[in-house]
Amino acid sequence: MRTLLLLSFLLFFAFNCNGVEVYVHMMPWFETKETNNGTWGIHWTMDNEDPDVVINGKQDLASFYHPQIGPYASGDPDVVDWQLGVMKAAGISGVFIDWPGTVDFADYRKNKQNAEAIIDGTQRTGLKFAVVYEDHNLNLAFVPDQIGQATEDMAYLQENYFVKDNYLHVDEKPLLMDFGPQVLYEKMWDQIFTPIEPKPAFLTLWNQHLQGGSYCEGEYAWVWLDFLDGLTTWYDQVDVPIKIGTAYPGFQPFYQMGGWGGPTWTIDYGEDTFRQSFELALQNTEMIQICTWNDYGEGTIIEPTDEFGTTFVDIIQQATGSKYTHEDFEELTNIYFMRRKHADNATKLEELRNQYHELMHKFD
Ligand SMILES: *[C@@H]1O[C@H](CO)[C@@H](O)[C@H](O)[C@H]1NC(C)=O
Ligand SMILES: *[C@@H]1O[C@H](CO)[C@@H](O)[C@H](O)[C@H]1NC(C)=O
């Protein structure tokens, strides 16, 4: 009898993320006309789409999906509250922010400002955060001294982000991921980390840890065309101290249609893909990075959209055993639209700020 009870207990928890921490990878790169000098940001338009045009009742975005709150600016605190609020209500522990570095090129400076608006939001909402560094930008921005620039970027992270209370630490070291490497390899990283104390717990993309230098402690998985086969092989075979698994709803890139060029392979988008990759990750790792929260161009979004509503955050909310309910997602969306509607009424805005704060901290 006791064995039977124990067995059902174990079976029950096998399908819950008991003890597993769920994070989401977040893009800080969306702009509206209001925040971008009168033109929609390139991540809503790519080369040829125009959100001011409505086709079959939907705004023309460089994506197959449409945000439930409409195309937004990543640095808008009301948008950030909605996004991070939905995450918290889903039982997600925090955000891994795609971070452009400190170089001033293309839209990188705005992306960094937006990243910092998101970081402010994590403090209001009570979430953790960490950075995914884009070393590829050193090439894209034609940086002449790549090691010098990367060293400056790390100093900036240490002084401004790693010191924050809610920066995610692993074994007392700030967790730092690189989206690659794609430009800097092996001993270059040792040189770049020389001035940094404590050294970060540094992670590369999957199957690349040997390129991450001597401080590299592990890898994180990502979406790829071999779907569960590639993930299963990685979970089974890669032996590094820190492994962050992944889950995603699909891969439906808009690059070709948007005139940008890029991958053309796809993975079916929807609940099945998400459940399969999420369950595999829950069985194999203690930390999961969902890819992604909002990469509309690549079609990997779990944030609520017109097409899929709260499908993905509902699944996460059930798996994490969050005390919040589906109705809390609706309240957050309502708060967002009320803030828009009453933008000129300071009294009302103060009430809405309090409503958000209470909702976000009622189970703390
Ligand atoms: C904004 O647009 C105006 C008019 O097109 C232009 O003169 C100005 O340089 C732009 N500013 C920025 C920061 O892009
Ligand atoms: C502003 O909001 C307050 C609080 O909800 C409300 O009592 C007041 O009537 C509003 N003022 C205007 C001008 O709508």
Side-chain angles (χ1 to χ4, degrees):
M1 186 62 185
R2 185 169 275 177
T3 323
L4 197 64
L5 270 176
L6 182 67
L7 190 66
S8 32
F9 183 79
L10 287 175
L11 278 175
F12 175 75
F13 279 103
F15 296 101
N16 279 272
C17 1
N18 202 26
V20 180
E21 300 230 358
V22 181
Y23 291 85
V24 290
H25 186 92
M26 190 171 185
M27 303 306 176
W29 60 32
F30 297 100
E31 305 290 347
T32 62
K33 291 200 284 189
E34 288 71 28
T35 63
N36 197 50
N37 207 13
T39 55
W40 288 94
I42 54 170
H43 288 280
W44 292 131
T45 64
M46 292 192 183
D47 275 354
N48 50 21
E49 309 304 307
D50 180 0
D52 287 337
V53 173
V54 175
I55 301 169
N56 297 330
K58 287 187 176 179
Q59 281 178 281
D60 178 29
L61 306 184
S63 177
F64 298 108
Y65 311 98
H66 295 74
Q68 200 176 54
I69 60 166
Y72 52 72
S74 294
D76 178 335
D78 295 347
V79 171
V80 170
D81 277 354
W82 176 73
Q83 295 177 310
L84 301 184
V86 171
M87 288 175 204
K88 183 160 183 180
I92 288 166
S93 302
V95 283
F96 295 166
I97 306 171
D98 183 78
W99 194 68
T102 62
V103 65
D104 184 13
F105 179 79
D107 59 353
Y108 300 168
R109 181 175 278 185
K110 291 180 85 94
N111 298 345
K112 176 171 153 296
Q113 282 169 3
N114 295 340
E116 290 170 5
I118 293 165
I119 292 167
D120 289 347
T122 61
Q123 298 193 311
R124 284 194 297 278
T125 307
L127 290 174
K128 293 179 225 166
F129 78 101
V131 159
V132 183
Y133 182 59
E134 286 273 7
D135 77 313
H136 191 205
N137 286 3
L138 299 166
N139 265 3
L140 298 177
F142 310 104
V143 172
D145 175 10
Q146 296 181 323
I147 292 183
Q149 179 64 49
T151 307
E152 270 180 46
D153 291 346
M154 294 306 130
Y156 185 90
L157 288 176
Q158 168 160 277
E159 280 162 32
N160 299 284
Y161 296 6
F162 295 167
V163 292
K164 291 198 193 293
D165 288 347
N166 64 333
Y167 194 93
L168 178 61
H169 283 61
V170 176
D171 296 334
E172 298 182 6
K173 289 175 267 186
L175 178 72
L176 175 68
M177 291 152 280
D178 181 69
F179 197 75
Q182 304 187 53
V183 174
L184 305 167
Y185 293 99
E186 301 176 25
K187 293 212 159 39
M188 293 164 128
W189 288 107
D190 296 0
Q191 199 179 334
I192 289 158
F193 291 139
T194 300
I196 304 293
E197 283 302 335
K199 303 301 179 210
F202 184 55
L203 268 56
T204 65
L205 268 172
W206 55 347
N207 306 311
Q208 287 189 247
H209 73 272
L210 293 175
Q211 300 169 352
S214 35
Y215 300 110
C216 184
E217 296 196 38
E219 300 184 349
Y220 61 92
W222 200 252
V223 56
W224 187 243
L225 52 84
D226 54 10
F227 187 37
L228 297 181
D229 290 345
L231 286 168
T232 304
T233 306
W234 183 77
Y235 289 131
D236 289 350
Q237 296 180 4
V238 173
D239 185 18
V240 286
I242 304 176
K243 282 173 89 169
I244 302 181
T246 196
Y248 46 83
F251 188 83
Q252 296 290 328
F254 198 84
Y255 299 131
Q256 295 293 318
M257 284 185 65
W260 272 13
T264 52
W265 52 271
T266 60
I267 295 175
D268 289 348
Y269 183 100
E271 195 173 327
D272 286 351
T273 298
F274 189 67
R275 281 190 187 280
Q276 289 173 52
S277 54
F278 193 33
E279 273 172 23
L280 190 66
L282 288 172
Q283 288 157 17
N284 285 284
T285 49
E286 284 162 18
M287 204 187 273
I288 297 173
Q289 170 180 217
I290 292 170
C291 75
T292 63
W293 179 255
N294 61 342
D295 194 335
Y296 281 88
E298 220 151 72
T300 54
I301 315 109
I302 64 152
E303 106 177 331
T305 55
D306 286 346
E307 289 79 7
F308 282 81
T310 55
T311 299
F312 306 112
V313 288
D314 284 330
I315 294 171
I316 298 166
Q317 189 179 61
Q318 280 157 23
T320 57
S322 167
K323 290 180 183 156
Y324 289 95
T325 64
H326 175 81
E327 283 65 41
D328 293 312
F329 295 140
E330 289 171 359
E331 183 175 344
L332 285 158
T333 303
N334 185 45
I335 291 173
Y336 173 80
F337 284 114
M338 292 293 274
R339 281 174 155 173
R340 280 286 182 271
K341 185 173 171 196
H342 299 284
D344 298 329
N345 185 338
T347 314
K348 184 72 186 173
L349 290 180
E350 183 60 23
E351 288 173 9
L352 291 165
R353 222 183 338 270
N354 291 337
Q355 188 186 347
Y356 181 80
H357 185 85
E358 271 171 35
L359 179 60
M360 285 298 96
H361 298 284
K362 68 177 179 179
F363 298 122
D364 287 359

